Amino acid sequence: MIDERVATLISMGFDQSLSLAALNRFNGNLDRAIDFLLRGGGDTINNNYAGGDVSTTSIIHSEISQYSDPTGRSACTSIALTMACGALSRLRRTGNVDVSLENAIDYSFLCEAIHDGILTYAELQRKSNSGVEHVSVEEFLQISSPLQKFQCLKLLPNSPRQGILTFSTDNPMGFESILSQCQTDGTTQDYVAVVITKPPETVLVLLPSFAPTATSTTQQLYVLLDSHPRPNQLTPHNPSGSYALFHSNLPSLVRSLEDIFPVVDLGSDVNEMMVMMYNSFDVYPFVYSSE
């Protein structure tokens, strides 16, 4: 028997496989699936499947998250920066990035990053004495400089970069376009660590270089690292703690980001500037620096 939500989409003229894919994309939310398909989102699904495997390859999950410590509930930016510094340092030391990525980003890495990120957040909160709970990436980098925190991170030029959550696949300010440009700008490095902030949440993604080494024999992976539990998102993984989700390509990574940062639909009576404000996000691409 066909699910009632699938039947509704089929009655609107969408085929069964497309209907199932749209519902899976939005965790069974029929209204969001309808809006997505009516805005042309079906082309995204068809193009992704036509391009080959867009599935996640594996996930590393920790039972702890930023909420495991009472002082860490607003520490996601500090944790993301800690993860960025730690990941680029580990990958830099291990030499062959393609072989070592899943060894570098493991269970212990997640646990240590959560712990160290929360400690750094508390330390910088005491130092700034501002009373502000959510601290921006710029503020963290400025406050932490005398403490020599995050010294291995070099921000790429023309950053931060602002993006807009959108249903369109070719929007130059969408996730895929901006992250692809970060890859291009960071090709002198093996990986680019990109901190993404969509207030009040911050996550990290690792993007491989566009130019694999001549000796590379393994697939380059795209990684989403997150200190937030997502029990109702990222099906079938639905992580209940922090996690590192490995993807086979950029479209797959973008789908995960769109799942945790969905477009906010404010209705047709809200002006465009307000819609853009609610759907904006900031991107901070970093490469490793030994200076």
Side-chain angles (χ1 to χ4, degrees):
M1 181 177 179
I2 296 179
D3 182 277
E4 182 178 347
R5 293 165 299 180
V6 177
T8 298
L9 293 174
I10 292 175
S11 70
M12 296 176 66
F14 303 108
D15 64 45
Q16 184 170 340
S17 61
L18 194 61
S19 300
L20 284 168
L23 286 168
N24 286 335
R25 188 185 185 98
F26 296 106
N27 296 313
N29 187 308
L30 178 59
D31 291 337
R32 288 177 63 189
I34 290 174
D35 189 51
F36 176 72
L37 291 172
L38 290 178
R39 290 172 182 261
D43 293 337
T44 304
I45 294 174
N46 288 331
N47 289 339
N48 283 345
Y49 280 111
D53 178 22
V54 294
S55 64
T56 55
T57 60
S58 62
I59 185 170
I60 296 172
H61 174 259
S62 169
E63 68 279 2
I64 68 169
S65 72
Q66 66 187 67
Y67 303 113
S68 300
D69 186 319
T71 64
R73 64 178 186 174
S74 300
C76 54
T77 300
S78 177
I79 294 170
L81 287 167
T82 301
M83 286 179 171
C85 195
L88 292 181
S89 296
R90 285 192 177 197
L91 293 171
R92 189 74 175 182
R93 284 197 302 264
T94 51
N96 190 331
V97 174
D98 293 322
V99 171
S100 64
L101 177 62
E102 289 181 284
N103 291 328
I105 310 301
D106 56 14
Y107 175 84
S108 65
F109 174 85
L110 285 177
C111 295
E112 290 170 10
I114 297 289
H115 177 264
D116 293 347
I118 291 175
L119 288 180
T120 298
Y121 171 78
E123 183 179 6
L124 296 185
Q125 283 287 87
R126 288 193 297 270
K127 181 176 176 60
S128 65
N129 199 30
S130 65
V132 177
E133 187 172 5
H134 294 281
V135 183
S136 70
V137 172
E138 290 93 341
E139 290 171 312
F140 263 116
L141 295 177
Q142 180 180 7
I143 297 170
S144 66
S145 181
L147 303 178
Q148 295 188 330
K149 301 282 187 181
F150 316 129
Q151 293 301 298
C152 73
L153 298 178
K154 178 182 178 181
L155 190 63
L156 290 178
N158 304 314
S159 298
R161 307 171 187 197
Q162 190 170 63
I164 300 293
L165 301 176
T166 174
F167 290 109
S168 172
T169 59
D170 56 0
N171 189 314
M173 296 185 72
F175 273 128
E176 187 159 356
S177 295
I178 289 185
L179 293 181
S180 179
Q181 187 61 52
C182 291
Q183 278 187 285
T184 300
D185 294 346
T187 51
T188 58
Q189 299 281 336
D190 294 314
Y191 266 80
V192 182
V194 183
V195 174
I196 301 174
T197 64
K198 173 69 173 69
E201 296 183 344
T202 301
V203 300
L204 174 72
V205 298
L206 296 177
L207 306 176
S209 167
F210 272 140
T213 61
T215 59
S216 175
T217 58
T218 60
Q219 181 184 32
Q220 290 188 308
L221 297 173
Y222 298 71
V223 192
L224 167 61
L225 297 106
D226 189 3
S227 59
H228 304 83
R230 307 284 182 181
N232 299 314
Q233 295 170 297
L234 300 173
T235 302
H237 306 291
N238 307 105
S240 58
S242 60
Y243 63 91
L245 190 57
F246 296 80
H247 304 74
S248 58
N249 51 43
L250 183 57
S252 177
L253 172 64
V254 168
R255 288 179 63 190
S256 292
L257 288 171
E258 290 173 343
D259 193 357
I260 62 178
F261 297 128
V263 176
V264 179
D265 188 354
L266 299 177
S268 58
D269 57 336
V270 179
N271 68 67
E272 186 176 354
M273 288 300 296
M274 184 66 71
V275 172
M276 290 180 65
M277 183 184 73
Y278 271 88
N279 286 290
S280 66
F281 61 90
D282 292 314
V283 169
Y284 300 81
F286 294 95
V287 291
Y288 179 85
S289 174
S290 57
E291 298 178 358

